[in-house]
Amino acid sequence: MTTEGGERVRVGPAGQIGLGGANYGTSGQVLTSAGSGSAPSWSAIPAGGNVITAVANGSIANNKCVQIRTSDGKVEEIKETAVAANASTTNEEWYTDSGDSASWSTTVIDPDAACCIVYSQDNSSDIAFTNIPISSAGVLGARSQTMTAVDNSTYGAMSADRRVWTATYDTTNNKHIVVWNSQQDGKLYYKVGTMSGSTLSFGSIQTAYNQTAFKPQVLFDEGTGRLVLAFGRTANDNPMVQIGSYNTGTGVVDWGTAQSIQAEAHTGPLAMSKASSTTGQYAIFRRQTNNDQCTGSLITVSSSSNTCTIQTQNNIISNSQNYEVAYDANANNMCIVWQSRANNRMYIKRVKVNSGSTGLETDGSDVEVVSQNIGQDLQIAYSPSALRCYAWWRDPSYGNATRWRAVTNTTGTVTLGGEHSPSPNPDTYSNELGFPAVHAASGNIVFGINNQPVGGRGQLWSIKTTSLQSNLTQGRHFLGFADQAYTDGQTATIKTYGNNVDTLSGLTIGTKYYVSTNGDIATSGTGGNQHALAGLAIGTNKLLIREPNDKND
């Protein structure tokens, strides 16, 4: 049949109907009118039962429960998101056997092998390590290696001190780097480690700095792909920095010439962290010998050579000792904690790169974290999931367990949340609170302790800094399921009460299912205001959707 010179309808030899020619549609489609001004078309039969359409607020996934937003009438997937919370314990794992020394631990996370490498001094004063798996949720597993010495030669032995070795992970080359101050000759040595499956092994001993030195600190800068090694030079107590890069051809680190940060004697350990979002910018803090002033220097690591530029030092803190520092990526500045030499209490302050990137400056006043003598047992770390720092310390008044405070660091003087303790809570000997690592995938803070109740056995703790919060506040807001996945702003078709969804799996026929706070369905409800019936299973993959407050629920 033709009109206006064009074919409109065709009837085939089997009686099939074609629209505009040989367009017969597909099996199950129906003829749908487009009104008086357009040609009809073939289309799928609309879903049985009730449907509504509404604009999607955010993305909506298949097989997830959907609710109505009372503020604007849009629909959204019911889901949980991580929000900042007080520190809480995910779990803990032993990393040494009974009777093994576990002094002054340092934890390094290998995201490629999904494990934590825990280093501590063993019974022979060597650096020993073990390997503990960590899941994407920050849950620790049982160790996959027993404690093994990094180097058991005479040059591997160290004095008993919490800052005589340091370790980091090169994410560019997937290599572990350990640097230590040898008790044999006072020089700095290092080894390069490689993971094979779940086993870490180290290569031959190499020299990092061929003069006597003390208190090394090493970090890997992902932006430049280089190692930053800071330490004290024994000859004049000057703080030094040395840049290195892993050589894939030789399998060792190519170190540049050590550079003096400041021609001025310092005492005690150095503290170092990334300084800003600018590639290669780091801050190095130390205590001057003559006046106990904490000074800080800004350095910028070269992207093309094993060198750095060093800016003039700046005074940061008066009358202080025992520093730890963390870079707050959300605020793009640093938080430094320390012990006051005047009253032995713990304080915190915000430090940032100045406007001309010529040095460091403080922002705001000193804030007291805790009003008691905390010794060297103080730490701070930044959680990328909570988007804030957490400060913690060993507290003798709480049975030598840890106490924590969350840090709000936006501008000016930092503010602190109330004191709180994870449960269960790490309980450690004095001066045995380990140096932490942050698990990027979960935002958990991971660190080791020398567990006091069991005679000093090494124990690794994973501390959670977020909690899950659901956008489901009222169960009666549950509408049903989307007929497909949608992106933000699309008009979504929602199968609602009396309709069915047949793309689920593992259902038990005849069983009621309820809305979970993460958007899934479960055989039990949440109770309270969030309680909502989702429907009745009428097949192993099919759910008859019911009203959330069904009187027969």
Side-chain angles (χ1 to χ4, degrees), residues 61 325 369 460 492 537:
V325 62
V369 179
L460 190 67

Side-chain angles (χ1 to χ4, degrees), residues 310-323:
I310 303 171
Q311 304 293 344
T312 303
Q313 71 175 13
N314 305 99
N315 292 333
I316 304 298
I317 307 163
S318 300
N319 204 17
S320 54
Q321 61 185 351
N322 299 327
Y323 318 106

